[in-house]
Structures are given as C-alpha cells and as structure tokens.
Amino acid sequence: MLVTLEACWLKTLIFASSISMLITYYGHSCFLIEVNGKKLLFDPFIRPNPKAAHIDFASIKADYILVSHGHEDHTADLVDLARQTNAMVICNWEIHQWVQNKGIIKTHSMNIGGHWIFDFGKVKCVNAVHSSSLPDGTYGGNPMGFLVEAPEGKFYYAGDTALHYDMKLIGDYKKMNFSFLPIGNNYTMGVDNAVIASEFIRCDTIIGMHFDTFDPIKIDHKEAMQKFEQAGKELHLMKIGETIEL
Ligand code: NI
Ligand code: MN
C-alpha cells in the first residue's frame, strides 16, 4: 500500500515537473511550439526576413502549420514548408482553397468560433481585428487567432490584431498559460494596447511578436519590458532562433 502511494506521488511529481512547452522563435510572428509530441508551426515567414537569415530553413520540421491570415509576412513560406514538412495546414476556408490550388492537399479548414480536436489537442479559432489578403491578391477571408489546449497547458496565439473587446471572452473562457501578442504597433496593436489585452485575457505571461522586422514596427525593448512589468506581467522578447520552455 505504502509503495503504491509512494509510486503515485512520484508519478505526480514527475508529471507536474514535465508540464511545459518548448517554444522556438523563427522571427516576426513565426513560432514552433511542441505539444503532446507534435510540432505546431505558426505563420511561416522566414526566408524573406533578413533578421532570420541565420535560420536553417531546410531543417525545420512541423506536424501542423497554423495560419492566422493571408498576408505575406505570415504566409511567404507556407506552401514550401507544407511541402517540405508534409505538415497539415490549419487555416480558414479561403486560405485552405488557396493552398489546395497550389497542390497542398493536407489541410484542415476552420473559421472563427469553431473548434476541432486534433491528435495533439484542441484548437479554437477566435476573432482578430485586422485584414487578410493573400500575396497574389486573392481574397484571404477573415483574420483569426487560435486558442490551443493540450495536455501540457493552454495558450493563445493572437495573430495580427488590434486590441478588441472580444478578448475578454478569452479571459472568461479558460486560463491560458501564456499568450502570443503582437506588440509592434502601426499594423497591429502596440505595447500599451497589448498590456490592456493581457489584462482582458487575464494572462500574465506574454510572448511578443510582430515587432522589429520592419522600420514602422521597431520597438524600444526596455520600455516594453517595463510597461508589462508595471502591470504585473512578464513579457518575453525572444531572440530569433532561441528556444524557451514555458
Ligand atoms: Ni497582417
Ligand atoms: Mn503582419
């Protein structure tokens, strides 16, 4: 009996200490998150990004590629990476049609408000306030964000978005372990609004994205860190190529 209890306790300890996710940054809004033994890649824009020139594109592996919207700074490497990795592309209906037309048949189309259970966990598509057209001018549908729920935890990937009141729904919905928020301003919300967003979603650990890639979205790192700190939040500004565990 004692032995069994001890074994149970040990198992709980090991389980508790292993609850974390590996996050790798490929620049701009492109991240690879490993959950439940699967690699999830978001918004692939690597080769056209001079700041990500040191990333070995050919070695990137993914099981799923999630696409928030059609803009080139989120889809430039989508078709080639889908081909290279044989990953399933998760995106809205319009982007699904666009990639299918380019010969990528492993797709799962979704739209805002819907969720689907994949082998790694649950993906729910949420509102993003932005625009969405594909690099060749094709209509890209509506932009979205993703809520991902896996055994290791939950996270929110906001995509390109303004601060909006629907983010409060996420705060009411479930506790996110961490969230990816755009902070570069000009095309999306900036740092000040992202701090408010982190309050709306009630999330204390934020990973910044969509900053520094282009001149209009260059930010002051120290100031950004301070603003989140003053709000009692932690902001991660990852280096391109860096992997962290959260
Ligand atoms: Ni965009
Ligand atoms: Mn963008």
Side-chain angles (χ1 to χ4, degrees):
M1 185 63 182
L2 242 176
V3 174
T4 317
L5 269 176
E6 209 169 61
C8 278
W9 170 237
L10 205 68
K11 213 172 149 187
T12 311
L13 259 183
I14 292 164
F15 185 60
S17 63
S18 67
I19 299 179
S20 64
M21 291 172 254
L22 282 178
I23 304 161
T24 302
Y25 189 36
Y26 290 129
H28 200 50
S29 294
C30 184
F31 294 86
L32 184 83
I33 300 119
E34 296 177 47
V35 287
N36 211 352
K38 303 287 173 188
K39 293 180 191 322
L40 279 51
L41 186 82
F42 288 78
D43 286 6
F45 172 75
I46 301 154
R47 288 176 303 181
N49 181 3
K51 292 187 161 55
H54 58 291
I55 298 297
D56 178 15
F57 186 83
S59 72
I60 295 175
K61 289 184 172 62
D63 299 295
Y64 294 89
I65 302 174
L66 292 87
V67 188
S68 67
H69 67 295
H71 289 159
E72 189 160 18
D73 58 322
H74 302 258
T75 58
D77 289 318
L78 171 58
V79 172
D80 286 347
L81 259 184
R83 232 173 245 134
Q84 171 178 308
T85 60
N86 196 32
M88 172 176 280
V89 179
I90 302 174
C91 57
N92 71 13
W93 175 255
E94 291 78 7
I95 297 170
H96 145 87
Q97 284 182 312
W98 185 76
V99 293
Q100 288 258 333
N101 284 337
K102 297 197 179 292
I104 304 298
I105 51 158
K106 217 167 136 190
T107 61
H108 183 97
S109 64
M110 298 184 72
N111 215 329
I112 298 165
H115 80 247
W116 187 256
I117 312 285
F118 295 90
D119 59 357
F120 59 85
K122 178 176 167 179
V123 174
K124 185 173 173 67
C125 300
V126 295
N127 198 17
V129 174
H130 192 64
S131 59
S132 176
S133 51
L134 287 146
D136 59 8
T138 304
Y139 172 60
N142 288 314
M144 25 189 225
F146 300 104
L147 301 179
V148 176
E149 297 176 42
E152 294 92 339
K154 305 175 182 66
F155 66 87
Y156 168 45
Y157 179 92
D160 278 9
T161 184
L163 173 68
H164 61 78
Y165 227 59
D166 281 3
M167 286 174 179
K168 290 205 167 194
L169 291 171
I170 298 167
D172 291 344
Y173 176 62
K174 264 167 199 177
K175 180 85 189 152
M176 297 293 137
N177 296 58
F178 53 84
S179 297
F180 298 88
L181 298 180
I183 54 169
N185 216 337
N186 193 69
Y187 300 113
T188 66
M189 60 185 173
V191 170
D192 291 326
N193 278 184
V195 169
I196 299 170
S198 69
E199 280 159 3
F200 280 8
I201 60 177
R202 295 189 218 158
C203 184
D204 295 332
T205 307
I206 304 301
I207 299 149
M209 61 181 184
H210 217 272
F211 66 96
D212 285 358
T213 317
F214 317 112
D215 282 342
I217 60 172
K218 286 215 165 94
I219 64 156
D220 182 330
H221 288 213
K222 217 176 136 191
E223 194 189 334
M225 303 285 283
Q226 277 169 355
K227 283 180 171 174
F228 274 90
E229 206 183 304
Q230 277 159 15
K233 313 274 181 186
E234 191 184 8
L235 175 68
H236 292 267
L237 297 175
M238 291 178 66
K239 289 187 177 67
I240 300 174
E242 183 188 11
T243 299
I244 60 169
E245 203 173 338
L246 283 179

